[in-house]
Amino acid sequence: MKFTMSWLRDHLETSATLDEVLYALTDLGLEVEGVTDPAASLGAFTIARVIEAVQHPDADRLRLCRVEAWPNGPDAASEEVQVVCGAPNARTGLVGVFAPVGTHVPGTGVDLKPGVIRGQASNGMLCSERELELSEDHDGIIELPEDAPLGVRYIDYAGLNDPVIEIAITPNRPDALGVRGIARDLAARGLGTLKPLAVEPVAGTFPCPIGVQISPELKDKGCPIFAGRLVRGVTNGPSPDWLQKRLRAIGLRPISALVDITNFFTFDLNRPLHVFDASKVQGALRIHPAAGGEQFLALDDKTYTLGADQMVISDDNGVESLAGVMGGAASGCSGDTVDVFIESAYWDPITIAATGRALKINSDARYRFERGVDPAFTLDGLELSTRMVMDLCGGEASEVVVDGTIPDTARSYTFDPARVGSLVGMDIPEATQRATLETLGFTLQGNQASPPSWRPDVLGAADLVEEIARVASLTKLEGKPLPRPQAGVPRAILTPLQTRERAARRMLAGLGYNECVTYSFIDADSAALFGGGADATRLQNPISSEMTHMRPDLLPGLLQAAARNQARGAMDLSLFEVGPAFAGGEPGEQQVQAAAILVGANTGRDPHASRRVVDLYDAKADAEAVLSAIGAPLKMQINRNMPGWFHPGRAGVLSLGPKLPLAIFGEVHPRIIRHYGLKGAVMALTVMVENPPRPKARKTARGALSGNRLQAVERDFAFVLNADVEAAQVVNAAMGADKALIADVQVFDEFTGDKAAAQLGEGRKSLAIAVRLQPGDRTLTDEDIEAVGAKIIAKVEKATGGTLRG
């Protein structure tokens, strides 16, 4: 939104400076985006007189001018300056525009310096209009009347000292799309007084020959009111100079008086209007929905194909205007227009926005109607525009024709002065609050406040507080911490699950993994590969064919990310993600997982041959680290009840019993790797963050370290077993022989292969374990050790069917 200071003063009686206005606008929420101040660029140019102009002794096209200038203003003493000038109209007695040394000339981009031209000193410049960027004329210097005030700034004399201000308007402030609305805000701030706007109805002297009719289906919403009148006998010539200057200042091109008047009201009072050449209108004007498919030539000389239900204004010839968006070329006004029909209506914002968006038409009218203009000003806008048309173009006005009624926008909200303090923390007296609202146009009756019709954004009591606070200045707010509900150290706000998620995330990041955040939606094929893809997890409105199902596991997203990175040359990858996986579509059918993958080598290349390909033990170690970080028990079982997307012989499940898996680790199945186009083996781990049981008693600190003064004892055992017996069975059986004494069991040797078959028998192997015994209250005797050893042998033989190796 652009406007000039003189335009603002038409509505605001103020002595405020430009800087004061700019500061207040931004502080009121009308952010200043730019200012064009002629005083900054043209303030140094003054009116001066050429005392004498003679031929340059060494140049045919140059003249030496003695100039009487007033560099310090008209009240100071004048100075005589010599200027070398090449303008053909430079002559003795000429009154023109002078730029002293040190002036920046905007038309040339040059900063004037003392110079010597063809041996003659030149200290300044006599300027043309192009050098001041007033026009492209540079055939001669500016000539002013002989009675022009010498020494006065040229911008003051020519009326050019009118700064142009551009502000950003938020969508909730349609009232600020008119200069009067901006002036109203500044008046409420205290920068002046809003001038009254007198609306004197123009008496109609004859019935309007053009009727108006709104289709019944549009009266309730699309177009509640449509009004107009004919002005006959107008002369549609150029608009007056003051109007053209204002339109040019805000970037609009003057066209004709009638069109310029409608543009003026759009920016002056936020009242878009439209004018029809009455001689081109056949019959009455009808406001109705388009049937769809009509061809419409608009004023921008583009032809649009209308969609069904888009509001249009038609006569007997067809569509004449796209309601509230743009007029039609067929009935547009021209220099030959004698009779003009002025239209003023209120259009539904949503309908206007949908039409403009569908047809990709941007106009000043659409911009305002889709945000909401003042419906109560519809008839007043018609009267004021009629008066201006008659003042500038002459003519005689008809009676007003109206269909529909002004929509009722009356509403009121409770006004509570104390709420300003509770919501924004500002101490504003009640009298000041009431005065602010009344200046902004609100009506106060007791403790009820009614917003004006031009403020559709005020929709509650909190909005009243916002208006009071922004006018008082939100920059005066002081940040203050909210009081704690209770004294002392605040309680933890994270749930146990959130704490575990954070711990798992930090541990994986500390292990060197890079965190990924992938979509919770995956394609049907990937979902089926990981145990999902059922209708229960299918999305009803997927955003793409590759996101049709909720993910049953986090690994698909990580594998896709790894494939994309490998395609771009990154071969060594360690990625992780913490998030939910979905087993069904009902609440509770989801669990939080911490998943990670390892691809390629464990480290970069070095001269020490430490680089190796990652294996399942890397994944196992990291899974155990994450479980430890989230508080899982130290003693866990390992089994092979892993899902089908892991390699059956190179993976395992860490669990507490057969029905409570805590983590899965190992190599990803080759068919999964082929599906995603990955190169090389992929190690993965998935930790079920919710599954580890929580401690029965919450401890705020670590327990005391329990050391042992007695020395541990280790004994080795070797068992002959069937080749298919897992080492975990032997370890678990040995651990269960005496839970009080046995501290640890480790496998340290395995004898397999052809030699084992020759010595032990076909299909047999030997497995050796080291058992660590830790006494607690006394030193173990040989008899104690032998007794525990017998229990270990018995337990292992019973669990595995093996025998102690001789």
Side-chain angles (χ1 to χ4, degrees), residues 595-608:
I597 62 171
L598 291 164
V599 186
N602 66 326
T603 185
R605 293 183 295 177
D606 59 40
H608 308 295

Side-chain angles (χ1 to χ4, degrees), residues 723-762:
D724 59 353
V725 175
E726 297 177 353
Q729 292 180 260
V730 178
V731 173
N732 293 335
M735 286 290 295
D738 191 329
K739 295 182 179 179
L741 276 178
I742 298 175
D744 189 27
V745 178
Q746 295 287 338
V747 177
F748 69 86
D749 185 54
E750 184 180 22
F751 183 37
T752 60
D754 295 339
K755 290 184 178 180
Q759 295 182 24
L760 306 175
E762 191 67 32

Side-chain angles (χ1 to χ4, degrees), residues 478-501:
E478 296 181 6
K480 296 180 180 179
L482 291 174
R484 289 182 176 178
Q486 58 187 12
V489 179
R491 294 179 179 178
I493 60 174
L494 294 180
T495 66
L497 178 58
Q498 289 173 326
T499 302
R500 283 188 172 183
E501 288 184 49

Side-chain angles (χ1 to χ4, degrees), residues 413-462:
Y413 306 104
T414 301
F415 168 61
D416 182 5
R419 213 173 167 201
V420 174
S422 64
L423 285 185
V424 296
M426 299 178 72
D427 185 15
I428 302 175
E430 180 178 350
T432 303
Q433 295 185 35
R434 289 182 174 272
T436 296
L437 292 176
E438 289 173 348
T439 306
L440 290 174
F442 290 75
T443 303
L444 296 177
Q445 294 182 348
N447 67 340
Q448 292 296 116
S450 299
S453 56
W454 58 80
R455 290 302 300 273
D457 59 305
V458 178
L459 298 173

Side-chain angles (χ1 to χ4, degrees), residues 696-720:
K696 294 181 179 179
R698 184 178 179 183
K699 298 179 181 179
T700 58
R702 292 182 179 180
L705 178 64
S706 58
N708 202 310
R709 61 185 179 84
L710 300 177
Q711 185 173 351
V713 178
E714 287 194 2
R715 288 293 182 267
D716 298 340
F717 301 86
F719 296 94
V720 178

